Amino acid sequence: MAELKSVMKDTAIYGLSSIVGRFLNYLLVPLYTAKLEAASGGYGVITNIYAYVALFMVLLTFGMETTFFRFANKEGENPQTVYSTSLILVAAVNLLFVLSVLAGLDGIAAAMGYAEHPAYIGMMAVCVAIDAFQCIPFSWLRYRHRPLKFAALKLLFIGLNISLNLLYFVVFPAVYATRPDIASFFYDPSVSVGYVFGLNLICTSLITLFFYRELTGFTYTFSWPLARRMLNYTWPILILGIAGILNQAADKMIFPLVYGDKEAGTVQLGIYGASVKIAMIMAMITQAFRYAYEPFVFGKSREENSSRTYAQAMKFFIIFTLLAFLCVIGYLDILKHLIGRDYWEGLKVVPIVMAAEIMMGVYFNLSFWYKLIDKTIWGAWFSLAGCAVLLAVNIGFIPTYGYMACAWGGFAGYATAMSLSYWVGQKKNPIAYPLKSILTYTLLAGTFFLAMKCVPEQWPIPLRLGINTVLILMFVGYIVTHDFPLRHLPVVGKYFHS
């Protein structure tokens, strides 16, 4: 437990920026779903383009975050040289990407179905390139154990983005309604969804300025031998990342293509995309854990008994994600107000998507066995297998079952990748995970989930919330009794020792 204190502390800070930041960013979901009616398909456009953005983020960082941590912690490597080489590699790739997209912008936009709005594609291409470049200085902050600056910059971006979106989707439209002669200088209602992408570009560009210290004050050094070794290490991670992000985003990219009716497909995609946002609290927890856990694992890799620490970390990750699952399901009657009422029909995907995200987090935890022995190709095969399952489910069932096929496709894909990684990992680099305890927590959470679903919908909301709260407290009670005694907790624990 003592060995996990550092990673838990950093996870708390990274989690604050991730969870609080994502929560604040959720303010944009009710904003967009209120201002862009489901029938307009506007939120479907946002969901579709941001799915492509997610894919290109993986392509343009090409696994260099993990690769940076691996080489910066290797004996005999100069961390500053690793950092400098990483910066130059990522910057060069992203500059080439932006120039290529801008040169063929009209054709690319037409191929994606946005021939009338090529500016959407141009803005997001520049935005994703800047964002990808920022991943390396963000990784440097993590390596140097500077979670406060990391968190501050993440929250600053979200604060700027929310503020500007409120101006362009609430304040300026109100001014335009009464004084169009004044508002027309800085607002055009016909731009609509375009403001989402333009404001994102502005905010992303501004954040780069705050990396002045991380990008200056040292001599840039590019080592070709180091670069070749890093690229040799990272290409399987790139394949892994592509397959992984396709597991998350492929459904949103292919949905309008296979649904049949493109216009209706965009509307249904908007409903699905808005509902999935509620389930993304699981992605926040996984991401916060990853930010702290990745440098921690590579730093501990040379110590004895490190596998025991990894096993315990896996158990605690599962415990808290299951608790988060029950909290979201238990208070869905409140959380559903984060999206517009005409998007509520998609809420049935929330438990499925959250379960898939838990498996994705478990898969991430399992992935360190091949990263630590420099056999990242295994991760590529596992992710490709999961992606193949996801694509098969989506292509085969979207025309019949719509976005429910997307939810179950993600579930099946992550279940496949997770199972393969565990099975092969236990043969190649076995870790004694506390399976009995993990299974007990999973069955208990599943039982409480079914109990929540059995509460009749016609019962008053306060009564349903009360029953769900009791079930959640029972789960917390089991956690406290078996793994987190109150006497070991800070502040509270002192009362048990007095």
Side-chain angles (χ1 to χ4, degrees):
M1 180 72 72
E3 292 181 338
L4 293 174
K5 284 185 178 179
S6 175
V7 72
M8 291 176 71
K9 175 184 174 183
D10 283 359
T11 299
I13 299 175
Y14 291 128
L16 180 65
S17 65
S18 181
I19 296 174
V20 174
R22 287 285 187 93
F23 177 76
L24 292 174
N25 208 31
Y26 273 170
L27 294 176
L28 296 178
V29 178
L31 176 64
Y32 294 153
T33 55
K35 298 299 180 180
L36 304 170
E37 295 181 357
S40 72
Y43 198 75
V45 172
I46 295 173
T47 301
N48 182 242
I49 290 183
Y50 275 112
Y52 283 100
V53 166
L55 173 61
F56 278 96
M57 267 300 287
V58 172
L59 290 171
L60 296 174
T61 54
F62 51 98
M64 285 304 293
E65 289 177 279
T66 298
T67 302
F68 165 76
F69 285 117
R70 177 58 175 159
F71 281 80
N73 284 285
K74 268 192 172 184
E75 291 185 10
E77 299 289 358
N78 184 334
Q80 189 70 58
T81 302
V82 174
Y83 175 57
S84 177
T85 300
S86 301
L87 276 175
I88 294 171
L89 278 174
V90 175
V93 168
N94 281 276
L95 179 60
L96 180 62
F97 167 76
V98 170
L99 294 177
S100 300
V101 171
L102 295 181
L105 184 58
D106 290 338
I108 294 172
M112 294 176 63
Y114 298 101
E116 297 180 359
H117 302 285
Y120 294 176
I121 309 305
M123 286 187 290
M124 292 314 298
V126 177
C127 184
V128 74
I130 296 173
D131 220 355
F133 173 74
Q134 289 178 0
C135 285
I136 302 304
F138 268 123
S139 295
W140 182 249
L141 291 177
R142 291 162 60 196
Y143 173 76
R144 298 296 298 272
H145 298 290
R146 299 189 60 192
L148 291 178
K149 182 170 183 178
F150 181 101
L153 291 181
K154 291 290 186 180
L155 293 175
L156 176 61
F157 168 81
I158 293 168
L160 287 171
N161 197 32
I162 291 174
S163 299
L164 290 175
N165 272 274
L166 288 173
L167 282 175
Y168 277 87
F169 283 92
V170 178
V171 178
F172 291 164
V175 175
Y176 188 88
T178 56
R179 295 296 304 271
D181 54 323
I182 296 176
S184 59
F185 286 103
F186 45 81
Y187 174 75
D188 181 354
S190 65
V191 174
S192 185
V193 175
Y195 281 122
V196 175
F197 308 123
L199 297 177
N200 195 335
L201 175 57
I202 291 171
C203 295
T204 301
S205 302
L206 288 174
I207 292 300
T208 307
L209 301 177
F210 291 90
F211 284 116
Y212 176 79
R213 290 188 175 183
E214 285 70 35
L215 299 175
T216 61
F218 63 93
T219 301
Y220 278 81
T221 303
F222 186 80
S223 170
W224 273 112
L226 173 62
R228 283 193 295 270
R229 285 186 286 116
M230 293 177 75
L231 291 173
N232 187 57
Y233 179 86
T234 200
W235 75 262
I237 298 179
L238 171 59
I239 297 175
L240 187 157
I242 293 171
I245 202 63
L246 286 176
N247 281 330
Q248 299 180 48
D251 54 351
K252 302 172 187 67
M253 290 188 283
I254 68 175
F255 190 93
L257 304 177
V258 301
Y259 187 73
D261 185 331
K262 186 178 186 301
E263 184 175 344
T266 302
V267 172
Q268 291 297 302
L269 179 60
I271 294 172
Y272 174 64
S275 300
V276 164
K277 287 292 185 181
I278 295 177
M280 284 300 101
I281 187 172
M282 203 60 68
M284 294 184 234
I285 295 173
T286 302
Q287 185 182 56
F289 189 81
R290 177 195 167 199
Y291 282 149
Y293 193 51
E294 196 165 46
F296 170 80
V297 166
F298 285 124
K300 290 282 185 183
S301 61
R302 294 188 294 270
E303 297 184 7
E304 295 183 4
N305 299 320
S306 58
S307 61
R308 178 181 173 85
T309 302
Y310 302 155
Q312 287 296 102
M314 170 72 85
K315 175 182 175 179
F316 295 136
F317 171 80
I318 292 175
I319 288 173
F320 288 113
T321 51
L322 289 174
L323 176 59
F325 174 88
L326 290 176
C327 288
V328 171
I329 300 302
Y331 299 111
L332 195 56
D333 283 320
I334 297 174
L335 295 174
K336 67 183 182 182
H337 292 283
L338 286 170
I339 61 177
R341 187 177 294 272
D342 51 346
Y343 292 83
W344 286 3
E345 67 177 78
L347 292 175
K348 53 184 173 287
V349 305
V350 171
I352 305 169
V353 175
M354 288 190 73
E357 288 291 334
I358 292 176
M359 289 189 289
M360 189 271 282
V362 172
Y363 174 53
F364 171 79
N365 280 273
L366 292 170
S367 71
F368 281 98
W369 72 260
Y370 54 77
K371 291 180 182 177
L372 289 172
I373 63 174
D374 295 348
K375 297 293 184 181
T376 47
I377 187 63
W378 281 107
W381 289 120
F382 301 149
S383 292
L384 285 172
C387 184
V389 171
L390 178 144
L391 290 174
V393 173
N394 276 268
I395 294 173
F397 294 101
I398 282 178
T400 303
Y401 297 102
Y403 53 73
M404 289 303 295
C406 297
W408 282 112
F411 183 97
Y414 282 129
T416 300
M418 177 188 70
S419 300
L420 287 174
S421 185
Y422 175 77
W423 181 69
V424 177
Q426 290 302 95
K427 294 181 180 294
K428 299 288 185 179
N429 188 34
I431 294 177
Y433 294 107
L435 296 181
K436 182 178 179 181
S437 180
I438 289 173
L439 180 61
T440 300
Y441 275 107
T442 303
L443 291 175
L444 189 62
T447 300
F448 289 156
F449 165 70
L450 292 176
M452 291 177 181
K453 298 300 290 182
C454 288
V455 177
E457 291 187 5
Q458 61 268 28
W459 285 12
I461 290 179
L463 178 58
R464 295 209 306 270
L465 292 176
I467 294 172
N468 292 345
T469 299
V470 171
L471 293 171
I472 292 170
L473 290 176
M474 289 172 65
F475 189 74
V476 171
Y478 184 85
I479 295 173
V480 170
T481 302
H482 289 81
D483 286 287
F484 284 93
L486 294 177
R487 64 179 179 276
H488 290 160
L489 298 179
V491 182
V492 176
K494 67 181 182 181
Y495 296 104
F496 289 83
H497 294 289
S498 59

